[in-house]
């Protein structure tokens, strides 16, 4: 991140300072760019930010700010499926604890505000994801194949236990293959991806 005194105006930055949320900006950047692993979406980052704001407000008011209490309060205030009666009840509880709910809600930010903060204020950039694309796709396929194998095994076992499938020591094979329509070569999909495709058209 470039350190400059001429950064653009940012609501996210102002709220971080107002609630003394030191380190939250760097955390948002790491999660967005995937520096610590998988990338986090901007909408999820907005939720992360807003929960931290609510947590700080609850803590400053001397209210319980354990994760479960914050999550419950945040859901009650923001979840569209929460009934109006439940929302009002939670607002009253928070206000009785000394929390200015309207002020806290005004300090919540949208995913667009998070994006502006990260790209314009912190000058963060997403890494070039083209390198290693095949490996990432293979990891995704292997995870899906593993889940499919686990579900299939569980299904067979449950049907055997229910007497709807004869009891044998079944060997389950989950194998996705690709066949080249030009030469008929048969590949395991993982081999096809690693090799860059069928080489039948090469001289």
């Amino acid at each position: 991140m470039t350190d400059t005194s001429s950064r653009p105006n940012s609501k996210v930055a102002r709220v971080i300072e107002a609630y003394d949320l030191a380190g939250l900006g760097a955390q948002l950047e790491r999660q967005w760019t995937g520096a610590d692993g998988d990338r986090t979406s901007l909408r999820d980052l907005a939720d992360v930010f807003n929960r931290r704001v609510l947590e700080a407000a609850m803590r400053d008011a001397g209210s319980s700010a354990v994760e479960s209490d914050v999550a419950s309060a945040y859901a009650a205030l923001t979840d569209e499926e929460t009934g109006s009666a439940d929302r009002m009840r939670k607002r009253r509880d928070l206000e009785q604890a000394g929390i200015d709910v309207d002020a806290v809600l005004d300090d919540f930010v949208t995913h667009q505000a998070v994006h502006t903060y990260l790209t314009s204020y912190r000058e963060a950039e997403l890494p070039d994801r083209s390198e290693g694309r095949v490996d990432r796709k293979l990891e995704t396929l292997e995870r899906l194949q593993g889940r499919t194998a686990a579900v299939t095994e569980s299904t067979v076992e449950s049907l055997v236990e229910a007497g709807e499938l004869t009891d044998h020591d079944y060997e389950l094979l989950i194998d996705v293959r690709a066949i080249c329509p030009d030469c008929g070569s048969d590949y395991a999909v993982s081999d096809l991806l690693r090799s860059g495709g069928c080489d039948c058209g090469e001289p």
Side-chain angles (χ1 to χ4, degrees):
M1 180 188 70
T2 301
D3 186 11
T4 174
S5 58
S6 58
R7 289 171 176 164
N9 185 41
S10 169
K11 178 180 179 180
V12 172
R14 295 197 306 273
V15 174
I16 286 177
E17 182 177 359
Y19 286 84
D20 194 22
L21 298 174
L24 180 55
Q27 175 189 334
L28 295 175
E29 182 175 340
R30 290 195 307 273
Q31 290 181 298
W32 184 57
T33 59
D36 297 332
D38 292 336
R39 288 188 54 223
T40 303
S41 72
L42 290 167
R43 292 185 186 279
D44 287 343
L45 288 178
D47 281 334
V48 168
F49 182 89
N50 294 336
R51 282 197 297 270
R52 287 289 299 277
V53 169
L54 179 59
E55 177 186 2
M58 293 171 67
R59 183 180 60 249
D60 291 345
S63 181
S64 172
V66 297
E67 184 176 351
S68 58
D69 292 335
V70 175
S72 174
Y74 184 72
L77 293 175
T78 62
D79 192 336
E80 295 181 355
E81 295 184 0
T82 301
S84 58
D86 291 336
R87 180 174 290 108
M88 290 304 301
R89 187 180 304 112
K90 179 56 69 173
R91 283 182 64 101
R92 286 196 301 269
D93 290 343
L94 293 171
E95 289 167 351
Q96 289 173 0
I99 299 168
D100 187 338
V101 176
D102 287 332
V104 171
L105 291 175
D106 285 342
D107 287 331
F108 282 0
V109 301
T110 64
H111 70 280
Q112 293 98 330
V114 173
H115 182 264
T116 299
Y117 168 73
L118 291 171
T119 57
S120 299
Y121 188 88
R122 294 188 65 89
E123 299 182 0
E125 296 180 355
L126 292 178
D128 182 0
R129 307 289 288 182
S130 60
E131 294 184 6
R133 187 187 305 274
V134 170
D135 288 337
R136 291 197 304 275
K137 295 298 185 182
L138 279 171
E139 288 178 4
T140 299
L141 291 175
E142 288 168 356
R143 287 196 298 270
L144 289 171
Q145 189 169 318
R147 287 200 293 271
T148 300
V151 171
T152 303
E153 182 177 353
S154 176
T155 299
V156 170
E157 290 178 353
S158 65
L159 290 175
V160 169
E161 292 174 357
E164 298 183 26
L165 189 68
T166 55
D167 188 1
H168 294 286
D169 188 14
Y170 295 103
E171 182 178 357
L172 302 177
L173 301 176
I174 307 297
D175 187 19
V176 180
R177 307 191 67 82
I179 299 175
C180 176
D182 294 325
C183 68
S185 295
D186 184 352
Y187 299 89
V189 168
S190 58
D191 293 338
L192 180 70
L193 296 184
R194 289 192 177 96
S195 65
C198 185
D199 61 2
C200 65
E202 296 181 359

